Every structure is written in structure tokens, then in C-alpha cells.
Amino acid sequence: TVPTFATEGSEAMHGQCLGTGSILRLMLGESIQEMTLTLYVRGFTLTPAAPRGRTIARPWSPFSLVEKCMVKSMQDSAQWAVFKLTVFRREGMDLSYYFACTGDEAHKERDGWVGMISEAIGNVTISLFPDVSITVQPLAGKERTCTRIMAGYLLQGGSEDKIALLYCELHAYSGGRARMVLYKDHWCEQEVKSIA
């Protein structure tokens, strides 16, 4: 089977804490909640300051983007710094989390959160790849790899917030078509899919 990784889950985060602090979670058109955001190596948790709310725990997904947002003119807008974390999904709606830092150091605090989250997502993404380099050489004894232009591992977003690790091989144009072959691993013994 092809290696897969879950990018959704409600289990508690464990391991090294990268950072924690109070933050506002903006639910557009609904509410603003004071929360505690805690970043871990494998994901994050959002714990409401109010005792009635539920804690959200989510693993990092390599298909995520964290970005600074502009605040439209409002009273005390210089005291607000907003950022957004988007988790892109193959099926269903993308997930977006909006956060705001407030106070005199709001922009500096936001930049810190954005930097820590970006680094954590990058580290998780890198950890999913085996230590195998991109190659252009065909495999000895594997005739089907002789028209290889390049090959290496890629991540593919899948159903149910799962990510598959596939070894992909791009072939030279031949017989009126170009092809990319997806394999279970870099030994190219089990073809998963061919795209022409």
C-alpha cells in the first residue's frame, strides 16, 4: 500500500511545545473569541478562554498557507494585526482560521506567530519525504524507466484529509504522448497510476 498521513484529528497534541499565547479567533460574520493558541511540532490546539467552549486540536497539513491580512480602516486598527491559516482540502471546503493580535506590539506578535507556524508546517512537510534524491537516471533492469526525464517523491492530497506519498516518474514524449507514472516507492515495482 501507498504510505498515507492523516491531516485531521481531534486527538490531543503531544510533544514539544513551540509556543503558546492568548489570541483572538475571528469567526467571520459570527464572533470574536479569546483563545489560547498552542503550537506543537505536529499541530496546534485552540483552547477557549471561556470555560464553556471546546478545544480544537489539528495536525499540520503540508497543504496549508499562513499569511498576514490587512485590517480595513477601523478605530484603533493600528492596534490590530490579523493573520489567516488556510488548510487546502481535496474534498469539501478548505478550512480557514482567522486570528488577531492586539495591543502596541500586535504586528510584532503576529509576525512571530506567522513565522512559527510557517516553520512548523515546513518541518512537517519535509519529515514526510524519505531521504531519496530526485533522479534522472533509469533504474537498472527496469525497462519501463528507460524514457525517464526525472523522478522523485511527491505528496498528493487525498480524500478524508489524508495525504499520500507517491514516487512520480515523468517520461519523455513518445508515440504522440507524454506520461507521468505514479509508483508506490522508488523501486518502481508497483505502479499505482499512469497519467497521459
Side-chain angles (χ1 to χ4, degrees):
T1 62
V2 173
T4 59
F5 308 94
T7 60
E8 180 179 57
S10 58
E11 74 234 21
M13 291 289 125
H14 300 288
Q16 180 184 358
C17 174
L18 303 174
T20 189
S22 293
I23 198 158
L24 297 177
R25 179 176 181 209
L26 312 176
M27 291 181 287
L28 302 181
E30 291 182 31
S31 65
I32 298 174
Q33 285 184 306
E34 190 174 334
M35 311 278 288
T36 298
L37 175 60
T38 305
L39 307 182
Y40 296 93
V41 171
R42 294 186 49 210
F44 69 94
T45 59
L46 274 171
T47 308
R52 296 183 322 189
R54 68 178 181 90
T55 296
I56 297 168
R58 180 150 188 103
W60 297 122
S61 167
F63 298 108
S64 298
L65 174 67
V66 61
E67 58 189 329
K68 299 175 190 178
C69 300
M70 297 300 294
V71 177
K72 295 196 177 181
S73 291
M74 59 182 240
Q75 190 175 13
D76 297 325
S77 63
Q79 303 258 327
W80 283 68
V82 178
F83 67 98
K84 173 180 155 183
L85 172 63
T86 305
V87 180
F88 300 102
R89 303 169 82 192
R90 183 172 171 184
E91 295 177 354
M93 299 283 294
D94 295 339
L95 299 176
S96 294
Y97 300 91
Y98 290 87
F99 301 103
C101 301
T102 59
D104 293 337
E105 298 288 320
H107 292 276
K108 183 178 176 183
E109 186 180 340
R110 179 208 39 207
D111 292 349
W113 283 114
V114 168
M116 284 190 293
I117 292 170
S118 294
E119 185 175 352
I121 292 169
N123 289 339
V124 163
T125 302
I126 289 168
S127 76
L128 299 177
F129 289 94
D131 191 19
V132 175
S133 298
I134 292 174
T135 184
V136 296
Q137 300 298 321
L139 290 176
K142 300 266 169 60
E143 178 85 19
R144 64 178 162 248
T145 67
C146 69
T147 59
R148 173 187 284 182
I149 294 175
M150 70 183 311
Y153 280 99
L154 292 175
L155 295 173
Q156 178 186 38
S159 61
E160 301 175 11
D161 283 323
K162 297 219 184 309
I163 293 172
L165 177 69
L166 297 164
Y167 192 74
C168 301
E169 180 179 64
L170 181 62
H171 288 268
Y173 183 82
S174 175
R177 66 184 189 136
R179 228 168 39 104
M180 183 160 83
V181 181
L182 312 178
Y183 295 101
K184 176 185 164 200
D185 57 33
H186 62 278
W187 300 110
C188 301
E189 291 173 352
Q190 184 180 346
E191 185 176 314
V192 175
K193 187 176 184 177
S194 181
I195 303 168

